[in-house]
Amino acid sequence: MSPPKVAVKPAGAAKDSQCAEDSCPGSPAFILALDVGTTCVRSFVLDEQCEVRGSAVDAVELLNPQPGHFEIEPESLWRKIVGVITQAVKNAKLTPPDITCLTICTQRCTFLTWDHRSGEYYHNFITWKDLRADELVDQWNASWTKSSMNWFSYALFLLTRQSRFLAGSVLKLMNGQALMQKKARVELLDSWILHKLRTGSSSDQDVEHITDVTSSTATGLYDPFTLSWSPLISWLFGINSKILPRVVDNGYKGFGHVHPTAFGPDWANTEIPIVASLSDQTAAIWGSQCFQKNDVKVTMGTGAFLNLVTGDRCQAAISGMYPLVAWQFKKPTRQQGAVYCIEGASHDFGTVVTWAQSCELFDSPANTSDIAQSVPDTNDVFFMPAFSGLGPPVNDYRSASGFIGLTPSTTKAHMVRALLESIVFRLVQLIEAAEKETSQKLHMIRVDGGVSRNDFVCQFLADLSRLRVERAENAESSIMGATFMAGINHGIWRDVEDLKRFRQVERVFEPRAKEYETIANRMDKWSRTIARFSDWY
């Protein structure tokens, strides 16, 4: 697999259409990056040395109208997006015409349906955390259609020995929604933001309906093997693919410009190109500079996401992990230029820490590493981090969360350590599943996200996985990844080799062999407790 290469323009190219044509040699480049996550919206202004010149952040208001429902009101979200972008530029002591280009990265599997011409929303954004479709999914998984599809896929595997059909034989779709609105079109979060950026408050709302491949690939409706919306899934769920956005690659040249009315009067005379759109996990892959086959990163945020780059071959997975397009730059030849990965997720990671803080087990997450290390072990207390069930390779979405093994001698420190150990146990399960799926032995993992700043978690992960754990100095991997891709697409940097100078490693956690046997035994005992919490709901 060769890293992506893009034609070169001088640094600082294209602050407006004239500048784009003449390359404006010598002009400083300022990249405006937007990151829309689950809990916050962030915007950063970075220069061509990847130094942060200004930033702003605002909280996402996650609505919970009833248990299991997690929504975002779209216009409230848009106001926050406009707010952080304009504030970040002010904090950088720049004016809107100084901005060279814009790049966006977004959470995945968050969608709405609306009439884009009238602006009428049929519902709020339904986020990736939403559980309302679980019962429907369970019914579908047990249905005759699903069963027939399993037998059909397994027969194809026996005949062809192509593992993509074997993966189909154990297909499970978590939280897919069948949406039937004749006037509606479906927007993923990125496609909606692109629409809003490109139309502003103008009366012309008919811009191209597009989403980037790394956002579509995680929906369950997109086939990474054929690089298209799956007609099979559309048939099963009754979704007409015409209401879905057209999928474009990450080097797409038609993202267009930010409309002069999008951000207010100060932006009226600007024509800022939108040069990259990518998902949060692809941004984290790029921010961690995992560009080669078998590179692996683990994002430790609200959830934990492990992504193992598998190169130019789509790797079918049957353990509950799933193949995705990691990124794609279409080439002039017939080659599609797609680079793939497999992904596994533990949806309760940072949420466990937040919950524990709300229960007053500690005052600040920053203290948890010292608290956990204040005791030699958990005094045989274990925690099951399953507020959203247990993902691969357990795949029990009815599992309960809770402590087990509490005694009168249990202290808060034991409970905090049990919490942190449990989220690492889930990560090690993902690592082992990834190694089994790819028949590869990993040697190092790169970590990012808020929880990765916890020394106890990183060292415990290194000891138990027996892998080196590398943590970058800059914790903003998604912002950095979105910036890297924008810079390459816009010609500020030549290729990924140019980016290596920007990665500074803050610390490498080496596995301590003498610790392995003790904590491996502890994980074995924790694994046996899974059955105690299984199929609770």
Side-chain angles (χ1 to χ4, degrees), residues 410-421:
T410 299
T411 66
K412 280 188 177 181
H414 292 133
M415 296 172 73
V416 169
R417 181 167 180 133
L419 281 164
L420 297 185
E421 286 191 1

Side-chain angles (χ1 to χ4, degrees), residues 276-293:
S277 176
L278 60 164
S279 73
D280 53 358
Q281 296 311 313
T282 289
I285 291 172
W286 273 61
S288 299
Q289 297 199 9
C290 292
F291 298 125
Q292 302 298 328
K293 184 177 180 180

Side-chain angles (χ1 to χ4, degrees), residues 385-408:
F387 293 122
S388 302
L390 293 174
V394 180
N395 300 313
D396 179 3
Y397 293 91
R398 296 184 179 278
S399 181
S401 294
F403 285 100
I404 193 170
L406 297 175
T407 67

